[in-house]
Amino acid sequence: MTSIVTAGDPQSDVAPSTFAKALNDALRTAMERDDRVLVLGEDVGRLGGVFRVTDGLQKDFGEHRVIDTPLAESGIIGTAVGLAYRGYRPVTEIQFDGFVWPGFDQIVSQVAKVSYRSQGKLRVPMVIRVPYGGGIGAVEHHSESPESIFCHVAGIRVVSPATPQDGYDMLLEAIACDDPVVFFEPKRRYWEKAPVQRDTRSSGSVPTTFSSLVRRAGSDVTVVTYGPSVKTVLAAAEAAAADDVAVEVIDLRTLSPLDLGPVLESVRHTGRLVVVSEAPLEASITSEVAARVTEEAFYSLAAPVQRVGGSDTPYPPSRVEPLYLPGVDRVLDAIDRVLDS
Amino acid sequence: MQAKTTAVEAVQQASRRVEVAGVPGTAVMSGLRAVAADVESVQLLSPEGERVEHPRFALDISAEELRGLYRDMVLVRRFDREGNALQRQGQLSLWAPLLGQEAAQVGSGRAMRPRDVAFPSYREHGVAWCRGVDPTELLSLFRGTEHCGWDPRATGFWPYTIVIGNQVLNATGYAMGQRLDGALGHDHDADSGEATVVYFGDGATSQGDVHEGMVFAASFDAPIVFFCQNNQWAISHPVERQSRVPLYRRASGYGFPGIRVDGNDVLAVLAVTRWALQECRSGNGPVMIEAFTYRMDAHTTSDDPSRYRLADEQEAWKLLDPIERVRVHLSRTGQADREFFDQVDRDADELAARFRAHCLTLADPPLERIYSHVFVEPTEQLERQLADDRRFVALDEAVPMNVSTQGGHR
Ligand SMILES: Cc1ncc(C[n+]2csc(CCOP(=O)(O)OP(=O)(O)O)c2C)c(N)n1
Ligand SMILES: [Mg+2]
């Protein structure tokens, strides 16, 4: 894909930043670069968002660019489509994963299809930011992982960063992207800190961040994951290394369309694959990866693909989420299984 | 760049003018927003504790009933405060306070009869109380040990609904069912019939679900009271962001009556809701009620209102306190004495202690809870996943010092 990003002077600012702050910086950078970038959502203005991702933006860019909308997700996404028709680049915020559904109709029927329906004469470059995933001890509807449902919809890109740096880079790329992007933010990682290099993609043509990335090299087993589970899987890889098992960890980053090149390449040398996500397993990204690898690299596989995920139930009351969320030992168990067979 | 933004700014400024010049009771932008319901609103007990006559909504109320309403509000406020405290002490993951909305909830809750059904959003602890839900049953949702701690059918109080607006359609459908079942009342029997009350906030009125609920209810003459608690805020958004007109006037667009009531006046809320329910029970529904009130506390314990609203506003609303005016009225008219008030305070303390003690006994649910009630019968796949999970729990117990885990250890 193309990512046209024009930038000011590259800075080498590598101060540690929280995930939330990295996203905030990306929004600020995008708004400074292009005055057609708008932020819309509930409580994004004065409050700065319930996770403070839009903190300070209204103060600096004004109420006409950082817009506290009426309380209606179909309204937020549907009007963003119209604003995009008019040449704006709306970045919409959905407050929590469980509240995206009133806007789902607009996503499926308009956002995803209008380019196709108009033979490309109409485009809706817009971003739909959704904090997602569990692990924060929240009440119901605040901990869901609905990303697979969006991947089933053709015409929208679905991406999820796993680190503050990717949060920054991928949000900039999402805003610059001419396709609509659903941007899933792993909310339980919002307060984790890491150095963030600003303006890394500032000059000319840079590699896309909407691509799978090898986060850790290894020769025994390939573990594919994304979003909030990347950190869990890296911890499992570390634990496995103590047992002399070399795990290769791949962060998908783009969930739709998938970038399976690095996965296939990895499986061709490890011969073993585990796919990890905290979303329910049925008809999910984990099933898609397993199916596609089986189709394209069956003869490289030394063992059946193993999947680790949430159970096929609604998200449970938060006091049982430690049992529900796939943790390190689940991942290690799956690694054992692909190694044993 | 300049030209583009100027155009947008012009629109923005025009819309602000509309807000400032808007209708009474909605338009105050300078920090101290409307503190009182405007003249269109029904009031039967003034903030000073004086009875006010209303041409349409007379209310004959015995001293005992009045004392009962007072007691309800004091007890509800007391356990609500305890909910906040329990969250601060780490015993609850969240609490959604109702402070300031006691009259709106107790007045409407006490207007219901046992056969009527209430569909709440998530702040209706006072309605729950009136429906006979034990306050301790509210705790599990906020502690994270369950999604709903009471029996919806036994209490006629449906589960809390966090997804804004969803319950309005569900309640409308329930009311359509009441009509289909012939459960409306008969002229010769004032006690017959049943109706539904659905609770939602000022912010919720912007949701499509609420609009559609009103359209359906109007189309099918559903016996439903749309009870909107306008507490002036939807987290950080003032009500002006949701509507140019007072919310109750929306009803006329759908073709049914809308009434604004002083939501801090328990008598007015009781009288108007009783009337509305009777209209519904006798086939003249739907009706919309806007209870004009104020969210005196944060949106939830996770919220910091100092980021978006002035403390002055809250100070002004303190003068309109729903409990104080009843207390003044009761003492001034000699309908309650010192002993009564002391007894109510003791009852409230006792309830708060029981509420707290119960909270501490709420154990984490077992693994099996994850898999229960997904379908009527467990599926083979879920049974397999449960068995697999059991293996992990057993593993964990066998090796307590398992590798450190991130986001739990499943
Ligand atoms: C569909 C949906 N969108 C967003 C939210 C997040 N949210 C929770 S409460 C709230 C504000 C609700 O305001 P209002 O309807 O006035 O009710 P109040 O909280 O004031 O009682 C918002 C935006 C949600 N729960 N559901
Ligand atoms: Mg409100």
Side-chain angles (χ1 to χ4, degrees), chain A residues 36 43 68 312 324 330, chain B residues 4 236 241 381 389 410:
Chain A
R36 307 296 280 182
D43 308 288
D68 275 334
D312 292 311
Y324 175 90
R330 281 253 158 191
Chain B
K4 279 178 228 154
S236 71
R241 179 47 41 106
Q381 178 167 330
D389 279 2
R410 173 179 151 157

Side-chain angles (χ1 to χ4, degrees), chain A residues 132 158-163 165-167 169-170 173 182-184 207-215 224-227 230 250-259:
Chain A
Y132 81 119
V158 183
V159 303
S160 180
T163 65
Q165 182 70 61
D166 271 355
D169 291 337
M170 290 173 70
E173 182 164 346
V182 184
F183 194 87
F184 279 103
T208 175
T209 57
F210 293 3
S211 59
S212 299
L213 186 73
V214 177
R215 291 243 175 237
V224 170
T225 188
Y226 58 90
V230 169
I250 298 183
D251 175 1
L252 287 172
R253 301 203 294 185
T254 172
L255 310 181
S256 178
L258 283 167
D259 173 26

Side-chain angles (χ1 to χ4, degrees), chain A residues 97-262:
Chain A
D97 34 63
F99 308 143
V100 68
W101 309 117
F104 197 57
D105 172 29
Q106 285 288 336
I107 295 175
V108 174
S109 309
Q110 302 305 326
V111 176
K113 294 196 179 92
V114 75
S115 167
Y116 192 76
R117 287 166 48 222
S118 67
Q119 303 109 70
K121 293 184 185 70
L122 293 173
R123 295 206 187 277
V124 282
M126 59 185 277
V127 181
I128 300 166
R129 293 184 36 241
V130 187
Y132 81 119
I136 62 161
V139 295
E140 53 178 353
H141 311 292
H142 291 73
S143 302
E144 297 175 3
S145 297
E147 61 277 14
S148 302
I149 300 172
F150 291 79
C151 294
H152 200 74
V153 179
I156 46 175
R157 290 181 181 274
V158 183
V159 303
S160 180
T163 65
Q165 182 70 61
D166 271 355
Y168 178 82
D169 291 337
M170 290 173 70
L171 186 51
L172 277 179
E173 182 164 346
I175 296 169
C177 180
D178 288 332
D179 293 319
V181 179
V182 184
F183 194 87
F184 279 103
E185 301 170 4
K187 70 169 88 77
R188 86 176 119 118
R189 307 291 181 212
Y190 270 148
W191 310 117
E192 294 184 359
K193 278 190 169 179
V196 174
Q197 176 82 46
R198 309 307 203 285
D199 287 331
T200 49
R201 306 177 311 112
S202 56
S203 56
S205 146
V206 286
T208 175
T209 57
F210 293 3
S211 59
S212 299
L213 186 73
V214 177
R215 291 243 175 237
R216 179 186 174 113
S219 52
D220 296 329
V221 184
T222 304
V223 182
V224 170
T225 188
Y226 58 90
S229 300
V230 169
K231 189 170 173 181
T232 312
V233 169
L234 286 170
E238 195 62 37
D243 287 341
D244 282 337
V245 175
V247 177
E248 183 143 298
V249 179
I250 298 183
D251 175 1
L252 287 172
R253 301 203 294 185
T254 172
L255 310 181
S256 178
L258 283 167
D259 173 26
L260 285 181

Side-chain angles (χ1 to χ4, degrees), chain A residues 31 34-36 41-48 50 52 55-56 63-65 67-74 88 95 98-99 102 135 137-142 188-189 192 228 231-232 235 239 281-282 309-334 337, chain B residues 1-2 4-5 8-9 12 16 90-94 141-147 160-164 166 203-208 233-237 241-242 302-304 307-310 362 364-367 369-371 374-375 381-382 385 388-393 395-396 402-410:
Chain A
M31 294 186 81
D34 181 355
D35 69 340
R36 307 296 280 182
E42 293 156 11
D43 308 288
V44 295
R46 210 151 177 195
L47 184 63
V50 295
R52 308 294 183 255
D55 195 20
E63 288 180 22
H64 58 290
R65 289 190 66 195
I67 304 169
D68 275 334
T69 66
L71 204 177
E73 287 75 11
S74 187
Y88 286 93
Q95 205 158 79
F99 308 143
V139 295
E140 53 178 353
H141 311 292
H142 291 73
R188 86 176 119 118
R189 307 291 181 212
E192 294 184 359
K231 189 170 173 181
T232 312
L281 290 168
E282 192 161 316
S311 42
D312 292 311
T313 70
Y315 201 83
S318 64
R319 290 283 182 135
V320 262
E321 74 184 350
L323 297 176
Y324 175 90
L325 287 172
V328 167
D329 46 4
R330 281 253 158 191
V331 178
L332 289 175
D333 179 68
R337 271 181 283 146
Chain B
M1 171 173 178
Q2 208 45 43
K4 279 178 228 154
T5 51
V8 181
E9 268 163 3
Q12 181 72 11
R16 181 169 310 155
Q91 294 299 332
L92 298 176
S93 62
L94 186 81
L141 168 67
F142 295 103
R143 188 168 164 95
T145 55
E146 254 313 334
H147 288 321
Y160 275 171
T161 304
I162 292 175
V163 183
I164 301 292
N166 275 182
T205 60
S206 294
Q207 284 285 15
W233 292 93
I235 310 187
S236 71
H237 294 199
R241 179 47 41 106
Q242 319 291 346
S302 306
D303 179 38
D304 172 11
R307 290 177 72 100
Y308 55 80
R309 71 182 191 187
L310 296 175
L362 284 174
D364 292 353
L367 173 67
R369 173 61 183 99
I370 296 175
Y371 295 91
V374 180
F375 298 107
Q381 178 167 330
L382 290 179
Q385 292 182 353
D388 200 38
D389 279 2
R390 283 206 178 106
R391 196 164 57 83
F392 274 91
V393 172
L395 261 174
D396 274 1
N402 214 342
V403 279
S404 78
T405 53
Q406 182 62 46
H409 46 131
R410 173 179 151 157

Side-chain angles (χ1 to χ4, degrees), chain B residues 93-113:
Chain B
S93 62
L94 186 81
W95 184 252
L98 64 62
L99 191 69
Q101 298 177 221
E102 296 87 354
Q105 297 190 11
V106 166
S108 58
R110 287 295 176 211
M112 273 180 251
R113 293 182 188 155

Side-chain angles (χ1 to χ4, degrees), chain B residues 36-316:
Chain B
D38 66 84
V39 285
E40 300 159 280
S41 153
V42 178
Q43 189 180 72
L44 298 181
L45 186 65
S46 77
E48 296 74 33
E50 301 288 349
R51 274 301 300 264
V52 185
E53 290 309 314
H54 191 279
R56 253 180 92 191
F57 299 99
L59 182 73
D60 254 340
I61 186 160
S62 69
E64 195 188 341
E65 230 184 320
L66 196 54
R67 286 192 300 266
L69 294 171
Y70 173 81
R71 182 175 184 277
D72 285 338
M73 292 196 290
V74 170
L75 266 60
V76 162
R77 178 174 290 184
R78 187 67 183 82
F79 81 73
D80 177 68
R81 298 296 81 196
E82 202 64 23
N84 256 19
L86 284 163
Q87 193 281 335
R88 296 287 177 242
Q89 292 152 12
Q91 294 299 332
L92 298 176
S93 62
L94 186 81
W95 184 252
L98 64 62
L99 191 69
Q101 298 177 221
E102 296 87 354
Q105 297 190 11
V106 166
S108 58
R110 287 295 176 211
M112 273 180 251
R113 293 182 188 155
R115 274 196 306 257
D116 299 327
V117 165
F119 282 69
S121 44
Y122 42 78
R123 204 188 288 290
E124 278 65 62
H125 319 317
V127 183
W129 168 260
C130 297
R131 297 304 294 168
V133 173
D134 192 276
T136 58
E137 294 176 317
L138 299 167
L139 286 163
S140 59
L141 168 67
F142 295 103
R143 188 168 164 95
T145 55
E146 254 313 334
H147 288 321
C148 174
W150 57 92
D151 183 337
R153 289 200 184 273
T155 55
F157 188 70
W158 245 243
Y160 275 171
T161 304
I162 292 175
V163 183
I164 301 292
N166 275 182
Q167 77 280 12
V168 176
L169 277 169
N170 309 149
T172 300
Y174 190 92
M176 286 162 60
Q178 287 173 317
R179 179 174 259 288
L180 285 173
D181 284 346
L184 298 190
H186 312 287
D187 288 344
H188 57 270
D189 179 2
D191 289 334
S192 61
E194 55 178 275
T196 299
V197 183
V198 63
Y199 290 86
F200 53 97
D202 45 293
T205 60
S206 294
Q207 284 285 15
D209 279 9
V210 176
H211 166 71
E212 291 172 28
M214 292 188 177
V215 168
F216 273 63
S219 270
F220 300 110
D221 304 330
I224 181 167
V225 177
F226 292 102
F227 195 94
C228 177
Q229 288 174 87
N230 174 3
N231 63 8
Q232 314 300 323
W233 292 93
I235 310 187
S236 71
H237 294 199
V239 62
E240 292 82 9
R241 179 47 41 106
Q242 319 291 346
S243 183
R244 283 191 184 190
V245 299
L247 294 170
Y248 74 93
R249 285 206 207 146
R250 292 226 176 135
S252 71
Y254 297 102
F256 51 82
I259 295 168
R260 179 183 274 185
V261 57
D262 177 349
N264 287 14
D265 172 358
V266 70
L267 299 187
V269 176
L270 178 70
V272 170
T273 314
R274 261 189 194 155
W275 170 82
L277 279 165
Q278 205 49 36
E279 283 292 286
C280 287
R281 291 190 201 105
S282 46
N284 297 325
V287 175
M288 178 180 178
I289 297 173
E290 175 192 359
F292 198 84
T293 181
Y294 192 75
R295 197 193 80 208
M296 291 297 284
D297 201 340
H299 169 67
T300 65
T301 46
S302 306
D303 179 38
D304 172 11
S306 72
R307 290 177 72 100
Y308 55 80
R309 71 182 191 187
L310 296 175
D312 294 12
E313 188 176 286
Q314 195 185 344
E315 289 305 312

